[in-house]
Amino acid sequence: MGFFKANKTHSVTSRDTDTTPAIPEDEQHLALQRDWTPAEEKAAKRKLDLVIMPLLTMGFFCLQLDRGNMANAITDNFIEDIGITQNRFNIGQQMLSLGIVLFEIPSNMVLYRVGPGKWLTLQLFLFGIVSTFQSFQTNYAGFITTRLLLGITESGFIPGGLWTLSTWYTRKETAKRVMFFYFGNQFGQASAKLLAYGILHMRGVAGRPGWFWLLFLMGIFTIACGFVLGFFLPDSFQEPRSTFLPKIRIFTEREVHILRSRVYLDDPAKGRKKRKIGRAGFEKAFTSWRMYVHVLITLCNNGPQRGFDTYAPTLVRGFGFEALSANALASVGLFLQIPVSFGFSWVSDRYNRRGETVTVGLTCHLIGYIFNRIFTEIPNQGLRYFGVVWTQVFGTFSHPLNISWLSLACTDSEERALAMAMVIIGGNVAGIYGAQLFRSDDSPRYRRAFSIDCAILAFAIVLAAGRLWDDTRNKVRAKTGEMASQESYSDDEKGAPSPSEDTQAPAVTHAKELSASRQLKGTT
């Protein structure tokens, strides 16, 4: 049985069926029908969730381990061991973000052409290798080089994962899956700090510092996960097989038919994917003002969050906690963030409150920096630590919610692929300036950094509120237009003649109309 089936009504005769020309492959998504039961769809979607989501989330988990380990390494005298200053360390963090920014769109274009299964698997191997070898750095030049290479090899993985989700799931299901994907990031942030507490105690083993073993072991773990992706991550609907096992089908033909058809019925534009992104796709994406608003929101949210995440263990250590214990304590807010972010995602998905959840999340994030700015003047260890935990709980999840909001504003896969790349570029440009917010001349209380963070988040809230107003206005207009259309249709019905034996009722479906149209044009 083919993947697609023409939609025919009961009034189409067998003679009509026999003479209907085949529908070209590029038009088949226009002639779909739901020829499966709800139980079949539920089973296929459950299998998809069990295959796609753990693999992509695992990849994001590895990326965050490798990217964020420097925040833990500096509590183990990393800066002193390789002979750099805090401000030079910040430059290294900027190089990481710069590498991602420079290669984000080229990486996404390669993914769009060769498929996510192959490209994301290769990326995991590449940044796992770089992460492993950065454990051997001994000076500033080595630090700068490895951070830049890590950024280059990581570029494209996050937007690639997001784009992959958008191709396998319907629009309504996307927000929850994007948030689940970002659980890999959040769990990676939290786990890295907790794991660092144990691994950094290896200082002295084989004559190596604790941070050496932290970077080395996490890099080896990432490479191992690259093999897992290679064996199990399907490439696409067109190639539902993994990179390392191309002859083994992960999904049956029936499951692929159901999964693909439901996505195309939800958004027919996804069925018109081209082999590469053309000029029209670039023009459409880069002339959308809404995309720039979402990118600015990302710039405002991620800059303060990146800087804060890097120095959270250092801040906790400055409250008077033991150096390595500071890593474990700095993971508490990140673990608490996971159920909180799931709750926000559920509300966003269940009630279609994309803009509202982003705005509330940004507001809570802002409150965190207000707390830190106030509590830094109060000599109370518990109160200061509470400020850190609050900021960690609300610091990250507005970003994936914002991405889901942007994804739903895109009209086709080309625009979506470029928009995803742009918003992730925005996140990494934010990392460039965010890396310089916490400087040595502002330590240990970082009054200036927290004040700047408050101003930036306030601007983000204004942007989100404006974008929310635009969405609300469009919904009202659409509802008003729909009501007017219904009234017009009702008026036409009143004046229309009743069907009679002399009036032939239309009996041809959309698929038949396509065939008839092609016959008139001489294309069949």
Side-chain angles (χ1 to χ4, degrees):
M1 183 181 73
F3 287 150
F4 297 95
K5 181 178 180 181
N7 182 15
K8 302 176 177 64
T9 65
H10 294 295
S11 57
V12 179
T13 65
S14 59
R15 183 181 61 186
D16 292 331
T17 303
D18 293 336
T19 59
T20 300
I23 300 172
E25 185 178 353
D26 62 348
E27 291 180 357
Q28 285 178 339
H29 69 279
L30 298 175
L32 299 176
Q33 69 174 4
R34 289 186 175 274
D35 57 355
W36 59 84
T37 66
E40 283 184 298
E41 180 175 354
K42 185 177 180 180
K45 190 167 69 172
R46 185 187 301 114
K47 182 176 179 179
L48 178 65
D49 285 338
L50 292 175
V51 172
I52 295 288
M53 294 312 306
L55 292 172
L56 292 180
T57 303
M58 180 189 67
F60 206 166
F61 175 83
C62 293
L63 181 145
Q64 186 55 45
L65 284 182
D66 296 338
R67 177 184 295 183
N69 271 330
M70 282 300 169
N72 306 307
I74 58 178
T75 64
D76 187 50
N77 301 324
F78 172 82
I79 289 177
E80 293 80 3
D81 286 347
I82 67 171
I84 62 174
T85 64
Q86 179 180 343
N87 293 341
R88 281 193 164 189
F89 174 83
N90 290 343
I91 293 174
Q93 295 297 85
Q94 288 180 302
M95 297 302 289
L96 170 73
S97 297
L98 179 63
I100 297 174
V101 169
L102 292 177
F103 287 86
E104 194 81 76
I105 287 183
S107 177
N108 228 41
M109 293 177 69
V110 173
L111 174 139
Y112 194 83
R113 189 171 184 85
V114 306
K118 301 179 183 66
W119 186 239
L120 296 182
T121 297
L122 176 62
Q123 282 197 286
L124 210 60
F125 278 116
L126 291 177
F127 65 72
I129 292 170
V130 173
S131 179
T132 302
F133 280 93
Q134 72 176 345
S135 59
F136 294 95
Q137 61 191 293
T138 58
N139 52 43
Y140 181 56
F143 174 61
I144 290 292
T145 302
T146 53
R147 296 311 278 175
L148 178 62
L149 286 175
L150 189 64
I152 292 172
T153 53
E154 287 182 353
S155 64
F157 186 88
I158 299 175
L162 295 171
W163 181 80
T164 302
L165 291 178
S166 73
T167 61
W168 284 95
Y169 290 97
T170 64
R171 289 172 293 182
K172 185 178 180 181
E173 298 163 350
T174 299
K176 188 181 295 182
R177 269 70 183 185
V178 168
M179 183 57 74
F180 191 91
F181 176 57
Y182 266 83
F183 284 164
N185 173 50
Q186 297 162 4
F187 193 62
Q189 285 180 310
S191 299
K193 291 175 171 55
L194 194 59
L195 290 170
Y197 172 72
I199 296 175
L200 291 177
H201 280 90
M202 295 177 66
R203 188 175 185 89
V205 174
R208 298 286 188 175
W211 58 261
F212 169 89
W213 294 111
L214 181 67
L215 301 176
F216 183 82
L217 293 176
M218 295 306 178
I220 294 297
F221 174 76
T222 299
I223 294 173
C225 290
F227 282 100
V228 176
L229 248 67
F231 281 114
F232 298 105
L233 182 65
D235 204 48
S236 63
F237 284 136
Q238 289 70 31
E239 294 291 337
R241 299 171 175 85
S242 68
T243 302
F244 294 166
L245 298 173
K247 294 183 179 181
I248 297 179
R249 295 187 65 92
I250 297 175
F251 299 100
T252 66
E253 287 193 9
R254 178 65 176 171
E255 288 170 338
V256 172
H257 165 60
I258 294 171
L259 293 171
R260 176 161 52 180
S261 299
R262 61 192 287 275
V263 168
Y264 291 169
L265 285 168
D266 174 71
D267 185 359
K270 292 181 181 179
R272 297 191 291 267
K273 177 183 177 295
K274 302 175 183 178
R275 290 295 299 167
K276 61 181 180 179
I277 302 177
R279 179 178 177 180
F282 277 93
E283 290 179 351
K284 187 174 184 180
F286 290 106
T287 55
S288 170
W289 66 267
R290 292 180 180 86
M291 183 192 74
Y292 292 106
V293 172
H294 287 283
V295 171
L296 283 173
I297 291 173
T298 297
L299 278 166
C300 293
N301 181 76
N302 288 32
Q305 185 273 327
R306 287 282 187 88
F308 187 84
D309 182 64
T310 298
Y311 284 98
T314 305
L315 287 168
V316 175
R317 181 181 181 181
F319 299 158
F321 294 101
E322 192 268 333
L324 297 186
S325 297
N327 290 291
L329 290 169
S331 71
V332 173
L334 297 172
F335 278 115
L336 292 175
Q337 175 188 196
I338 295 175
V340 173
S341 61
F342 181 83
F344 271 75
S345 175
W346 185 86
V347 171
S348 174
D349 218 27
R350 177 68 176 80
Y351 298 102
N352 194 27
R353 298 296 183 181
R354 317 294 178 181
E356 291 88 342
T357 50
V358 170
T359 305
V360 173
L362 292 171
T363 302
C364 292
H365 192 185
L366 169 61
I367 292 172
Y369 294 116
I370 294 173
F371 282 162
N372 282 286
R373 180 62 184 87
I374 294 173
F375 296 162
T376 193
E377 308 296 339
I378 302 174
N380 185 297
Q381 187 184 63
L383 203 57
R384 290 181 176 183
Y385 179 61
F386 172 78
V388 170
V389 171
W390 177 283
T391 308
Q392 289 178 319
V393 169
F394 295 101
T396 302
F397 66 79
S398 293
H399 180 46
L401 289 173
N402 180 47
I403 289 172
S404 298
W405 193 9
L406 169 62
S407 176
L408 293 172
C410 298
T411 57
D412 57 48
S413 58
E414 290 179 291
E415 182 184 5
R416 190 174 293 108
L418 291 170
M420 293 300 176
M422 282 301 298
V423 78
I424 301 303
I425 285 176
N428 287 288
V429 170
I432 294 176
Y433 84 81
Q436 291 292 349
L437 290 175
F438 291 79
R439 297 179 60 82
S440 58
D441 62 342
D442 193 31
S443 66
R445 298 192 175 186
Y446 297 106
R447 297 184 180 95
R448 182 181 63 223
F450 291 132
S451 298
I452 293 173
D453 290 342
C454 290
I456 292 172
L457 263 295
F459 180 59
I461 294 170
V462 172
L463 290 172
R467 179 70 179 86
L468 177 58
W469 174 81
D470 171 66
D471 259 7
T472 304
R473 182 187 60 175
N474 289 337
K475 288 177 182 177
V476 171
R477 286 178 175 177
K479 188 174 181 180
T480 303
E482 183 180 350
M483 292 175 63
S485 177
Q486 289 176 348
E487 291 176 1
S488 176
Y489 180 75
S490 178
D491 291 341
D492 290 343
E493 270 190 329
K494 293 177 182 178
S498 301
S500 64
E501 294 180 356
D502 299 327
T503 305
Q504 185 177 1
V508 182
T509 63
H510 185 53
K512 297 283 291 177
E513 290 170 357
L514 284 172
S515 301
S517 175
R518 287 193 298 273
Q519 288 175 337
L520 289 174
K521 293 178 182 178
T523 60
T524 58

